[in-house]
Amino acid sequence: MSFNTSSRQLSKTDEAPEDVPSQEVTPLDAPAPGDTVQTSEAETPEVSAPETEAPEAKAPEAEAPEAKAPEAEAPEAKAPEAPEAEAAEATTDPEPKAPEAKDPEPEAPEAEASQTETSQTEASETGTPETEGPEAEAPDADAPEGEVEAPEQAAAAPDPAVSDADTPTAPRPRRWRRVWGGWREKYPVAARVLAWTTTAVALAVVVVALLMPTQADKVRLAAFVRLPVEAIFGAALLIVLPRKPRIAVAAFAGLGLGALTVVNFLDIGFNEYLGRGFNVVLDWSLFSDAQGYLQDTFGKGGALGIAALAVTLVIAVLALTTLSVIRLGNLAARHTETATRTTLVLAIAWVTCAALGVQYAAGIPIASEHTMQALQFKAEQVQRTLQDEAEFAKIAKKDNFANTPPDQLLTGLRGKDMMITFIESYGRSAIEDPVMAPGVDATLTAENKKLTDAGFAAKSGWLTSATYGGSSWLGHSTFMSGLWISNQQRYRTVTAGERLTLPGAFKKTGAWDTVGVMPGVQKAWPEQNFYGIDKLYDSHKLGYKGPKFSWSTMPDQYALTAFERLVHSKKHDKPLMSTIILTSSHQPWAPIPELVPQDQVGDGSIYNAIEKAGKKPADIITDSTKSKQEYGKSIQYSVSSLINYLVKYGNKNTVLIFLGDHQPIARVSGNHASRDVPVSIVAKDPKVLDKIAAWNWADGLQPKQDTPVWKMNAFRDRFLTAYGSTPAP
């Protein structure tokens, strides 16, 4: 039987889109002229199905008279084949269709291309069974001349000349969708459980993000079992939006919620360490200081690891909140009626609870506006910060002693060797907390007796620091400038100006040489000129050869010994005004140095064994009680080092002012601790202390509970006035 077909076979399918690719097969793929393809009658319905390919494939054969006799060609091309083709199309006899319906081999290439096509898709794409013909016929094009492959072989060897792009197929689902669809059909119960679990996690993420407190002590279950009004409004909006706007709004809201969550975490950390929330305008610069602190405490590798973990957590939070909001929005869109009813019920419940003032406990209302209030507070904080910058610049220009002549400054202290010494993190909690107080109070009592035995006397009071838990430079500048320096912007403003500081006042008189001993300064320090310090001894100029004690570059005993060797013991034409900042009581309070015999301090090498035997930061950093105990020990060490130095090297003209710069972090001082720090003035000359009798400070090194409390910025003017300075704005 000939493989040729009549043109009348195209009467039903010549306009079908599915047949277009098969028409692009070139004559090169057709059998050679004169060849005939023999096939059995059982195979006739299969090979004759591709109606559009036959005219092209057999056209050369009709034009080759030398291959066939004219009398044999005419009946084969027209008379016999046309009725046979028409009959094949019109007949309903199941026998010719049986191989095509049952034999899957011609569809093998398409099955390999898309395993997930459904029968409905095939029906809509192909229209009739005959449109599968091009796929079944394609392999025959590669058969050698004069040969015909079996249907099984043709299915196994598709024609590379006819690409998948030439064959119209249904859109293939993405691989993950096919895998998920198959898994879901195979394990329907597990799929439902996973879907509900994912939805529950998404809902929990959104609720926690909306209700997260900004202080660690307020993080409890009752804070999260509330109705956030922001979620109700958000759900109502997502229900009514079309798909694309809904996804865009959900993504934007999720990113915003994630950013707010990150800021909430920063608020918790800042409240824990600095006693205040995170300032989105000013506090970004503190991250470099935090990185330096981590590197000094945990090493370079540990600091990089913590930084990488922090960045990873930020990305994870942003991604989690975004995906959670999108999932909940899509769920509400799929179940619009249920979501609408639920949102309406929650809205009514919120309004009722808000109107009645229903609360779980004091300060925890069921009807929550936490996120809106947090955003409002941050916006107001930004506004206040920007306004404060301009207002503080005006305040900083006003100075009661700016124009006081040098001979009218500090007349009551002429001839005295002055020392202003800050003890890191020396706060009121060290004296009053039940865990730390016993050891610290015993040390203060013992050191005060040493002073008395050496002929010194002391008076002590309280000052409220402008900072808490850290940022020591804010406390230093507040005390010495007489301005309330509570943030980094104020610090930059005041240090860029010409404000008269306490060391600057001594320098202005021309009667003192000013010196700074600051082992915590490890790089260039331009503030030296602002403070009026002539000679600065930082961590690189004190000759220390021993180990660091966590953040502290050297023990306090060594710093004071180096001060004596390099500065105080030298002959001077003028008395000294020395500013000394001690660092051994800086967190994390592990390891802590120990006092050694004064003649063994040397270059600091003796501290190697002490540092190795001490505790590691990881031993105490997560334990509040251990941190308190070690903090108390560090204060005892610093106070003892200072008093031992004064007793050994002080004289009748020595006047010492020492104080804490701020309270320790909340984990040590307590969540509701004050910002008060102790301050003491020590001298041998009784006239020095007589001039401050009106201050009503307590005798000795330990202020009493009812001793007057001043703001730290008030000290400068009161001190200058008490010791003979004449105001001249």
Side-chain angles (χ1 to χ4, degrees):
M1 181 178 180
S2 175
F3 194 74
N4 288 353
T5 59
S6 171
S7 61
R8 285 177 292 179
Q9 289 177 298
L10 301 177
S11 60
K12 294 184 180 181
T13 59
D14 56 353
E15 294 181 0
E18 294 83 351
D19 294 338
V20 174
S22 63
Q23 295 174 358
E24 295 177 359
V25 179
T26 65
L28 295 177
D29 294 325
D35 289 349
T36 60
V37 180
Q38 301 296 328
T39 179
S40 66
E41 292 182 3
E43 296 172 339
T44 301
E46 293 181 22
V47 299
S48 62
E51 299 164 350
T52 58
E53 187 171 349
E56 293 185 9
K58 296 302 179 179
E61 189 173 353
E63 296 175 3
E66 67 278 7
K68 295 282 183 177
E71 57 273 12
E73 183 74 22
E76 186 175 354
K78 295 182 179 181
E81 288 296 314
E84 184 178 351
E86 290 177 356
E89 291 181 5
T91 186
T92 58
D93 186 4
E95 292 183 4
K97 295 295 182 179
E100 186 174 359
K102 293 181 180 180
D103 189 1
E105 291 301 324
E107 295 179 5
E110 183 174 358
E112 292 177 2
S114 176
Q115 297 178 0
T116 61
E117 288 183 344
T118 63
S119 59
Q120 292 85 352
T121 304
E122 292 176 357
S124 63
E125 292 284 325
T126 61
T128 66
E130 295 169 344
T131 56
E132 295 179 1
E135 295 181 2
E137 184 69 17
D140 291 341
D142 284 342
E145 294 184 1
E147 296 181 10
V148 177
E149 293 183 351
E152 293 83 358
Q153 296 173 336
D159 183 6
V162 182
S163 66
D164 291 342
D166 295 332
T167 304
T169 59
R172 294 191 299 174
R174 293 183 180 180
R175 183 174 181 83
W176 71 267
R177 289 184 177 176
R178 285 185 281 139
V179 173
W180 166 246
W183 184 87
R184 184 172 54 187
E185 293 177 1
K186 189 175 182 180
Y187 305 102
V189 176
R192 286 196 299 270
V193 171
L194 180 60
W196 281 105
T197 301
T198 305
T199 300
V201 170
L203 181 61
V205 167
V206 172
V207 170
V208 169
L210 289 172
L211 298 175
M212 179 182 292
T214 58
Q215 296 181 6
D217 61 323
K218 294 183 179 179
V219 178
R220 51 187 184 273
L221 182 60
F224 300 101
V225 189
R226 298 190 287 165
L227 293 176
V229 68
E230 302 85 7
I232 297 173
F233 276 111
L237 178 61
L238 294 178
I239 289 172
V240 301
L241 287 175
R243 181 178 179 275
K244 289 186 178 180
R246 183 184 70 249
I247 294 176
V249 170
F252 180 78
L255 284 173
L257 191 59
L260 181 62
T261 302
V262 172
V263 173
N264 283 344
F265 277 120
L266 291 173
D267 280 335
I268 291 175
F270 271 66
N271 280 313
E272 184 75 7
Y273 281 85
L274 301 180
R276 61 175 178 82
F278 176 73
N279 190 309
V280 296
V281 178
L282 302 177
D283 288 339
W284 299 105
S285 62
L286 298 181
F287 287 105
S288 61
D289 297 307
Q291 179 69 11
Y293 164 72
L294 291 174
Q295 184 169 330
D296 292 331
T297 303
F298 300 105
K300 187 174 182 179
L304 290 176
I306 294 173
L309 178 61
V311 172
T312 302
L313 288 176
V314 169
I315 296 174
V317 167
L318 294 173
L320 191 59
T321 54
T322 302
L323 294 176
S324 296
V325 176
I326 292 175
R327 179 175 182 82
L328 295 177
N330 290 339
L331 183 65
R334 288 198 300 270
H335 306 280
T336 304
E337 184 176 351
T338 301
T340 301
R341 288 199 302 265
T342 302
T343 302
L344 181 60
V345 170
L346 292 177
I348 294 173
W350 189 93
V351 171
T352 303
C353 292
L356 298 177
V358 182
Q359 298 183 350
Y360 284 116
I364 307 180
I366 294 179
S368 168
E369 300 176 272
H370 176 76
T371 300
M372 294 177 63
Q373 292 173 348
L375 290 174
Q376 182 180 358
F377 175 80
K378 291 299 181 184
E380 292 175 351
Q381 184 186 58
V382 171
Q383 185 178 6
R384 289 194 305 268
T385 300
L386 298 177
Q387 291 176 349
D388 178 74
E389 181 178 355
E391 294 175 357
F392 181 75
K394 296 178 181 179
I395 295 173
K397 293 179 180 179
K398 298 179 180 179
D399 189 345
N400 292 333
F401 295 92
N403 297 317
T404 300
D407 60 350
Q408 297 180 21
L409 281 172
L410 299 165
T411 56
L413 291 173
R414 297 301 172 100
K416 304 296 184 185
D417 275 331
M418 298 296 304
M419 294 174 60
I420 296 178
T421 304
F422 291 92
I423 295 180
E424 172 65 36
S425 300
Y426 179 29
R428 186 165 187 161
S429 296
I431 297 174
E432 296 182 347
D433 184 271
V435 175
M436 303 172 288
V440 174
D441 290 348
T443 297
L444 292 174
T445 300
E447 299 304 324
N448 188 67
K449 187 176 184 305
K450 287 182 185 178
L451 289 175
T452 303
D453 293 343
F456 288 92
K459 285 186 176 293
S460 301
W462 301 111
L463 298 176
T464 300
S465 178
T467 185
Y468 175 98
S471 301
S472 302
W473 57 92
L474 302 182
H476 304 161
S477 58
T478 296
F479 179 80
M480 293 194 285
S481 71
L483 293 171
W484 189 252
I485 315 297
S486 56
N487 58 55
Q488 193 66 17
Q489 181 59 50
R490 287 190 168 204
Y491 180 78
R492 288 193 291 264
T493 298
V494 71
T495 54
E498 298 179 352
R499 178 79 177 186
L500 185 68
T501 64
L502 286 176
F506 282 95
K507 179 180 179 179
K508 185 177 180 179
T509 64
W512 281 272
D513 289 331
T514 56
V515 177
V517 178
M518 301 183 181
V521 174
Q522 304 178 51
K523 54 186 178 181
W525 195 57
E527 290 89 338
Q528 176 182 349
N529 293 329
F530 164 73
Y531 284 115
I533 295 175
D534 294 322
K535 182 72 173 179
L536 176 67
Y537 293 86
D538 59 17
S539 61
H540 305 292
K541 297 180 180 179
L542 293 172
Y544 182 64
K545 304 298 182 183
K548 293 182 67 175
F549 283 77
S550 189
W551 183 87
S552 179
T553 58
M554 63 191 70
D556 292 345
Q557 183 184 14
Y558 178 88
L560 291 166
T561 301
F563 166 66
E564 179 63 26
R565 182 182 72 252
L566 297 173
V567 182
H568 188 256
S569 63
K570 306 294 185 181
K571 291 184 178 181
H572 299 277
D573 297 332
K574 304 174 184 177
L576 290 175
M577 165 61 231
S578 306
T579 303
I580 303 173
I581 300 177
L582 303 179
T583 61
S584 289
S585 52
H586 195 287
Q587 62 177 316
W589 311 297
I592 301 172
E594 298 176 1
L595 291 170
V596 300
Q598 192 64 39
D599 57 355
Q600 297 181 22
V601 172
D603 63 359
S605 300
I606 191 174
Y607 294 106
N608 283 309
I610 297 174
E611 190 271 339
K612 290 180 180 179
K615 296 180 179 180
K616 305 301 180 186
D619 298 337
I620 70 165
I621 199 167
T622 58
D623 190 308
S624 177
T625 300
K626 289 182 179 179
S627 294
K628 287 184 176 185
Q629 293 170 346
E630 298 306 307
Y631 162 74
K633 292 177 183 178
S634 71
I635 294 298
Q636 296 175 49
Y637 170 80
S638 294
V639 171
S640 295
S641 297
L642 179 59
I643 300 305
N644 286 348
Y645 171 84
L646 184 63
V647 169
K648 184 174 181 62
Y649 298 109
N651 54 52
K652 64 179 182 178
N653 289 321
T654 302
V655 177
L656 169 67
I657 305 170
F658 78 95
L659 69 155
D661 45 22
H662 55 73
Q663 283 265 52
I665 60 176
R667 184 160 42 84
V668 171
S669 61
N671 292 322
H672 304 289
S674 70
R675 296 191 173 203
D676 297 345
V677 298
V679 55
S680 301
I681 298 180
V682 184
K684 275 191 174 182
D685 186 350
K687 295 179 181 179
V688 173
L689 298 183
D690 289 343
K691 293 183 181 295
I692 62 170
W695 292 2
N696 295 320
W697 282 13
D699 293 332
L701 297 178
Q702 186 173 345
K704 298 183 180 344
Q705 191 171 9
D706 60 350
T707 300
V709 180
W710 303 344
K711 292 186 69 173
M712 186 176 280
N713 61 309
F715 182 86
R716 189 205 71 156
D717 286 8
R718 294 195 180 196
F719 179 83
L720 292 176
T721 301
Y723 290 102
S725 303
T726 304

